[in-house]
């Protein structure tokens, strides 16, 4: 079980690093696109377009900071809330395995949702942005539910 | 495992950055030329408001371009420093 956990976690960690790099690259490209939009709108004299582009630029900065500062802290906090030693024997091992895997998957899901949000912001698609943020909330509540479900399952399955 | 894909995406992103930076320079130069034309015409016809608007426009364009070429890379460096290790 330990070997499987470590293989899966290594895979998820590599995916995290790659996804974080992609988030950074896309955030910068989207920022440059918004600056280009601001410049062209300024030349054309469209103040509304300039306002939209500047707001999008600020949103991109906020999303980038949330991705790199907020998500790791949320995952760390929720992972420390996940009980990993409920019961004994295989139940305990399974609990540890599940809590690590749930944490990793939720972190990746949140980062993916942030990447979708960044893309939606740069394209000006509020519907995709809303669904991506809903996905982040789902991952968050999924971890909270898992925190409650693991000890209950351990007790139900006859933990020591 | 993800490194080859990552390299491809980053190479595409670099190309897109260079393209957009070039486009921004072209738009800024054209916009600057337009404002200079507007300012010259305003000065020739005695339209002081037109001239002042053109000067403000040129200054705004310069600020936007400086923001793109000086501030955005700094923001990128900042975010790169914040790039987190896997929290699990």
């Amino acid at each position: 079980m330990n070997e499987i956990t470590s293989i899966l976690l290594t895979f998820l960690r590599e995916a995290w690093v790659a996804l974080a790099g992609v988030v950074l690259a896309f955030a910068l490209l989207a920022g440059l696109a918004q600056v280009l939009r601001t410049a062209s709108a300024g030349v054309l004299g469209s103040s509304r377009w300039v306002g939209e582009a500047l707001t999008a630029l600020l949103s991109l900065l906020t999303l980038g900071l949330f991705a790199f500062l907020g998500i790791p802290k949320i995952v760390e906090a929720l992972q420390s809330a996940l009980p990993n030693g409920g019961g004994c024997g295989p139940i305990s091992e399974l609990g540890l395995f599940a809590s690590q895997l749930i944490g990793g998957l939720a972190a990746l899901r949140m980062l993916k949702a942030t990447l979708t949000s960044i893309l939606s912001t740069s394209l000006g698609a509020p519907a995709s942005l809303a669904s991506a943020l809903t996905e982040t909330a789902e991952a968050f509540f999924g971890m909270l539910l898992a925190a409650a479900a693991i000890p209950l399952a351990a007790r139900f399955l006859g933990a020591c | 495992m993800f490194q080859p894909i990552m390299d491809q995406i980053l190479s595409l992103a670099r190309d897109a950055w260079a393209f957009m930076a070039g486009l921004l320079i072209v738009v800024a130069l054209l916009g600057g030329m337009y404002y200079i034309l507007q300012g010259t015409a305003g000065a020739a016809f005695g339209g002081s408001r037109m001239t002042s608007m053109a000067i403000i426009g040129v200054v705004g364009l310069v600020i936007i371009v400086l923001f793109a070429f000086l501030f955005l890379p700094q923001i990128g460096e900042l975010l790169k420093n914040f790039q987190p290790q896997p929290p699990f």
Side-chain angles (χ1 to χ4, degrees):
Chain A
M1 191 74 90
N2 278 338
E3 279 178 25
I4 298 168
T5 312
S6 82
I7 290 169
L8 283 176
L9 283 179
T10 309
F11 178 75
L12 291 178
R13 280 187 194 117
E14 282 184 20
W16 169 276
V17 172
L19 209 54
V22 172
V23 165
L24 178 63
F26 275 83
L28 285 177
L29 279 180
L32 192 60
Q34 294 304 329
V35 171
L36 181 60
R37 198 175 152 197
T38 312
S40 46
V43 172
L44 291 173
S46 165
S47 58
R48 186 165 176 242
W49 214 15
V50 171
E52 278 179 11
L54 288 176
T55 315
L57 201 61
L58 276 178
S59 311
L60 283 171
L61 184 63
T62 313
L63 282 170
L65 286 176
F66 171 72
F68 286 168
L69 298 178
I71 291 176
K73 293 293 168 201
I74 291 172
V75 173
E76 277 169 19
L78 286 173
Q79 216 164 18
S80 65
L82 282 176
N84 47 22
C88 59
I91 291 290
S92 165
E93 211 173 322
L94 204 63
L96 184 68
F97 176 67
S99 72
Q100 286 177 340
L101 217 56
I102 287 168
L105 285 173
L108 275 183
R109 207 174 161 202
M110 280 192 218
L111 201 60
K112 194 209 87 184
T114 315
L115 177 62
T116 314
S117 308
I118 287 173
L119 291 177
S120 308
T121 309
S122 60
L123 294 173
S128 316
L129 176 64
S131 60
L133 291 176
T134 312
E135 205 176 325
T136 308
E138 275 174 19
F140 185 83
F141 282 108
M143 284 188 80
L144 280 179
L145 275 178
I150 288 172
L152 282 177
R155 192 172 286 259
F156 181 74
L157 290 170
C160 316
Chain B
M1 187 181 291
F2 293 98
Q3 201 54 42
I5 304 164
M6 187 66 191
D7 289 342
Q8 292 286 332
I9 291 174
L10 285 184
S11 148
L12 270 176
R14 278 189 200 108
D15 284 350
W17 175 274
F19 170 72
M20 276 202 283
L23 204 59
L24 182 63
I25 291 171
V26 171
V27 168
L29 284 178
L30 282 178
M33 193 70 95
Y34 163 74
Y35 280 128
I36 287 170
L37 183 63
Q38 191 186 17
T40 316
F45 292 118
S48 59
R49 186 165 181 269
M50 206 168 154
T51 310
S52 51
M53 287 300 282
I55 292 169
I56 292 168
V58 169
V59 172
L61 260 182
V62 170
I63 290 173
I64 289 170
V65 173
L66 284 179
F67 177 85
F69 290 157
L70 297 178
F71 188 69
L72 268 187
Q74 291 299 319
I75 289 281
E77 284 296 320
L78 176 84
L79 285 178
K80 208 190 266 185
N81 290 336
F82 283 152
Q83 199 168 348
Q85 290 303 307
F88 49 88

